[in-house]
Amino acid sequence: MPLVRPFETSFGRTVERQIVLVEAVADGVSGWGEVTAGEHPFYNEEWTESAWLILKHYAGPAVLGRAFESAAGVAPLFAHIREHRMAWGGIEAAVWDLEARLLGRPLWRHVGGTRTEISCGVSIGIQESVPALLETIERELACGYQRIKIKIKPGWDVEVVREVRRAFPHIRLMVDANSAYTLADADHLRSLDEFYLMMIEQPLAHDDIIDHAALQATLATPVCLDESIRTAHHAEQAIRMRAAQIVNIKLGRVGGFAGARQVHDVCQAAGIPVWCGGMLESGVGRAHNIALSTLPGFVLPGDVSASRRYWARDVTAPPIEVTRSGTIIMSGEPGFGYALDFDFLHAITVRQETLR
Ligand code: OSB
Ligand code: MG
């Protein structure tokens, strides 16, 4: 699926997505999940092709023919697989959707959600110029989005944020570095403090907690962890170390709904706000993110936004839309709440495999 505009982060530029969708079938009913891995192992170790192999050789065989009482019992079946959570998380989420449909319940209620409307923010990639960035922010604010996140990297950080703040002194603003810095950059990152950002997301290494704690101790800006948090145990460690004041929860990164709820619960118990991250998902993953965002601890606007920001045509019909006040309203339909556009899905499918 070609993106309507390229998306650039500190680790690379994405022009077109190659997405693995999972259809889980039981009793003639289908549930759908999305593998949120990127096209290259640059955000984490996974990519489209690794996910395909993990699904085919390990994750699929781990669930097929196995008895489990409920969708909550699926994640433990993958416990022997080291990492690759986005791959097996695609099956896990599909089974949650399947179970919700079998029960005739909306997925968001089924996973324990309580909000009927969620707050949306946008993630804006690295742009060609500051004027281009300011124009993009202006456009997103006009659509009603409640929070602006901009991607930063060395050379596109403090001076860019200064210009954004000059133009938009009152907006809810944050930055995401995707692990582009080290502790040696602490003084430089501290100069972001004057811009009263909501948070700085994942400034240091993708697998680090301890250096983030050291950095947070010197920063007024709250640190938010994304890449570093894959399990509830990681969340506990980060909170205990004071490495983060906020946590981004991504469904795939934590291996699906069971993992997401565990991270959510640990954060909620510690008074740490969470929000739902995104991975440039198609409508399927987007719909799951919307459901996840209805859990009570998701008190900050997430990176969950309208299909039209990414796709000329999405795999869901209708596409996912955001209200003029930057919210998405929950559907009462069973499962994830959006119909699939099967004509389009079949037209863009390049590979398909059935595991029985
Ligand atoms: O770090 O949140 C991230 C996109 C790809 C990989 C990592 C990240 C992102 C985003 C975009 O920030 C979120 C989205 O709009 O889906
Ligand atoms: Mg991030």
Side-chain angles (χ1 to χ4, degrees):
M1 294 172 76
L3 287 165
V4 294
R5 58 187 86 85
F7 188 81
E8 188 172 329
T9 69
S10 63
F11 61 78
R13 190 179 169 85
T14 306
V15 175
E16 146 186 307
R17 298 291 333 277
Q18 296 171 0
I19 296 172
V20 181
L21 295 182
V22 178
E23 180 181 14
V25 186
D27 301 338
V29 175
S30 289
W32 290 83
E34 177 163 338
V35 172
T36 64
E39 288 65 42
H40 302 283
F42 299 160
Y43 165 81
N44 66 359
E45 77 285 358
E46 302 189 74
W47 77 102
T48 311
E49 293 294 333
S50 73
W52 186 270
L53 293 173
I54 289 283
L55 286 163
K56 179 171 169 176
H57 297 294
Y58 298 97
V63 285
L64 291 166
R66 296 283 299 274
F68 44 88
E69 291 297 315
S70 67
V74 171
L77 301 176
F78 304 121
H80 61 294
I81 303 172
R82 288 283 175 265
E83 299 305 330
H84 297 282
R85 293 170 197 278
M86 290 172 166
W88 57 258
I91 296 183
E92 206 264 9
V95 177
W96 275 96
D97 182 48
L98 170 61
E99 185 175 66
R101 288 174 198 254
L102 287 168
L103 295 169
R105 308 179 71 187
L107 179 63
W108 65 274
R109 283 201 192 280
H110 191 51
V111 300
T114 51
R115 292 164 208 287
T116 56
E117 188 170 4
I118 63 161
S119 297
C120 306
V122 289
S123 176
I124 299 177
I126 292 162
Q127 306 286 305
E128 243 145 59
S129 65
V130 170
L133 175 61
L134 297 179
E135 207 171 289
T136 303
I137 294 172
E138 184 83 64
R139 191 178 64 233
E140 302 294 9
L141 292 171
C143 289
Y145 288 105
Q146 298 183 9
R147 177 224 69 186
I148 299 291
K149 159 168 142 184
I150 63 174
K151 292 291 191 179
I152 58 167
K153 65 175 182 181
W156 180 266
D157 51 22
V158 178
E159 294 316 308
V160 173
V161 175
R162 188 184 307 283
E163 293 303 317
V164 172
R165 258 304 178 226
R166 205 200 310 273
F168 305 99
H170 302 300
I171 62 171
R172 292 213 269 178
L173 181 66
M174 61 172 288
V175 293
D176 185 0
N178 289 109
S179 303
Y181 300 93
T182 71
L183 215 39
D185 301 307
D187 288 343
H188 181 63
L189 294 174
R190 199 173 314 113
S191 49
L192 290 170
D193 278 351
E194 68 174 288
F195 305 117
Y196 47 98
L197 301 174
M198 291 175 82
M199 69 197 90
I200 177 169
E201 184 179 346
Q202 197 71 35
L204 309 181
H206 70 97
D207 54 356
D208 169 81
I209 289 175
I210 293 175
D211 283 1
H212 280 99
L215 178 67
Q216 179 69 93
T218 74
L219 283 188
T221 306
V223 169
C224 168
L225 289 179
D226 172 354
E227 284 90 327
S228 295
I229 307 296
R230 294 166 178 237
T231 65
H233 184 62
H234 292 155
E236 278 166 17
Q237 291 178 315
I239 293 165
R240 209 190 307 153
M241 296 283 303
R242 300 183 197 279
Q245 298 186 43
I246 300 169
V247 170
N248 163 337
I249 300 182
K250 287 183 180 162
L251 193 61
R253 197 194 69 226
V254 301
F257 281 104
R261 291 205 302 194
Q262 287 162 6
V263 174
H264 165 273
D265 292 352
V266 162
C267 292
Q268 207 183 21
I272 298 287
V274 304
W275 54 275
C276 184
M279 290 295 291
L280 312 176
E281 288 91 344
S282 81
V284 174
R286 204 162 290 284
H288 281 85
N289 289 343
I290 294 167
L292 180 63
S293 303
T294 65
L295 294 183
F298 285 75
V299 296
L300 296 171
D303 282 346
V304 183
S305 55
S307 297
R308 68 159 57 89
R309 296 188 62 251
Y310 308 83
W311 318 117
R313 184 169 173 187
D314 203 345
V315 297
T316 54
I320 289 158
E321 289 188 359
V322 166
T323 65
R324 299 297 303 166
S325 47
T327 65
I328 294 173
I329 296 165
M330 288 317 114
S331 147
E333 296 288 307
F336 66 59
Y338 294 84
L340 281 163
D341 179 347
F342 286 105
D343 288 344
F344 183 53
L345 192 52
H346 292 148
I348 59 172
T349 298
V350 292
R351 198 190 302 176
Q352 190 168 1
E353 193 151 331
T354 304
L355 307 176
R356 292 178 195 283

